[in-house]
Amino acid sequence: MEQMNLKAAIEAILFASGASVELSRIAQTLEITEAQAQNEIDALISDYNEAQRGIMIIKLHNSYQMVSRKEYAEQIRTIMDLRRNTPLSQAALEVLAVVAYNQPVTKAFVEQVRGVDCSGVIGSLTTKGLIEEKGRLELPGRPLLYGTTEHFLRCFNISSPEELPPLPENDEEKAEESENNSAEENKEPD
């Protein structure tokens, strides 16, 4: 295919898909290398950004998806008569953070971190498509493992969980570390 036709073909694939498409599938479909496909997608992303269109292409792990720009969310909701999603509760945000930063995790792990039952919250987050089952742990009872989804990545506008901001250090850990350092400095030499 010609240079312009490759970009147009990728654009058509992403538009028609409506979901994310892996880079390897795009390359395989167009019978080009993944490096070539990546270059074409990068050029297409650049074209969309320069033209300031209402849609854009985002990266989710090693996949790409065509989405509307968040600046136009209100107009899209109005035309589609969508009700604004209710915000996540504090408990849901806490469970989501535990899963996102430690995935894959079991429900028992989340409950141990939070100190309360999380069954309802995990069910709610699964229903909203923010977390999903990622398999089972090889322990007695084979508990389910949970992790975040592509929908989570879209909602938080990140390409992968590695882009999550670093966790703040615990104040107790800082104080304990400081005390240990002070004790070491004040220790009399033998």
Side-chain angles (χ1 to χ4, degrees):
M1 285 192 178
E2 292 178 21
Q3 192 77 345
M4 186 56 84
N5 287 346
L6 282 176
K7 281 198 314 194
I10 291 170
E11 182 178 41
I13 289 168
L14 294 177
F15 178 78
S17 167
S20 64
V21 181
E22 288 186 20
L23 179 65
S24 59
R25 289 198 62 211
I26 294 170
Q28 181 182 15
T29 301
L30 299 176
E31 299 175 350
I32 59 176
T33 66
E34 286 188 28
Q36 288 174 299
Q38 183 68 62
N39 288 338
E40 296 299 327
I41 291 170
D42 290 342
L44 192 57
I45 289 170
S46 182
D47 290 351
Y48 273 86
N49 290 338
E50 288 173 14
Q52 297 179 344
R53 295 182 181 173
I55 54 177
M56 60 191 257
I57 297 170
I58 59 170
K59 181 178 182 179
L60 303 165
H61 291 295
N62 201 27
S63 300
Y64 292 88
Q65 184 174 359
M66 190 173 278
V67 297
S68 57
R69 290 194 185 273
K70 62 182 172 187
E71 298 92 89
Y72 305 109
E74 197 56 44
Q75 292 83 358
I76 293 167
R77 275 190 202 96
T78 301
I79 198 73
M80 296 180 79
D81 195 30
L82 298 174
R83 283 179 276 135
R84 184 171 207 107
N85 285 338
T86 55
L88 295 175
S89 67
Q90 184 64 35
L93 287 172
E94 289 173 10
V95 169
L96 192 55
V98 171
V99 172
Y101 280 96
N102 300 288
Q103 61 187 309
V105 297
T106 63
K107 181 173 80 73
F109 176 83
V110 175
E111 290 173 345
Q112 182 181 10
V113 170
R114 292 199 62 238
V116 295
D117 177 59
C118 298
S119 301
V121 177
I122 287 176
S124 171
L125 291 172
T126 302
T127 302
K128 291 179 188 281
L130 295 171
I131 63 172
E132 65 184 358
E133 294 176 6
K134 296 285 189 177
R136 292 189 175 270
L137 192 59
E138 293 296 327
L139 288 177
R142 299 192 25 91
L144 287 170
L145 290 168
Y146 293 94
T148 57
T149 63
E150 282 189 351
H151 183 60
F152 166 82
L153 298 175
R154 272 191 296 280
C155 289
F156 287 87
N157 199 25
I158 57 176
S159 301
S160 71
E162 289 78 38
E163 289 183 22
L164 288 168
L167 290 171
E169 287 189 35
N170 188 340
D171 290 336
E172 290 175 16
E173 287 176 12
K174 283 183 190 175
E176 195 174 294
E177 223 174 84
S178 176
E179 285 176 21
N180 289 341
N181 290 340
S182 296
E184 296 266 332
E185 290 171 6
N186 295 332
K187 195 176 188 182
E188 290 183 25
D190 291 333

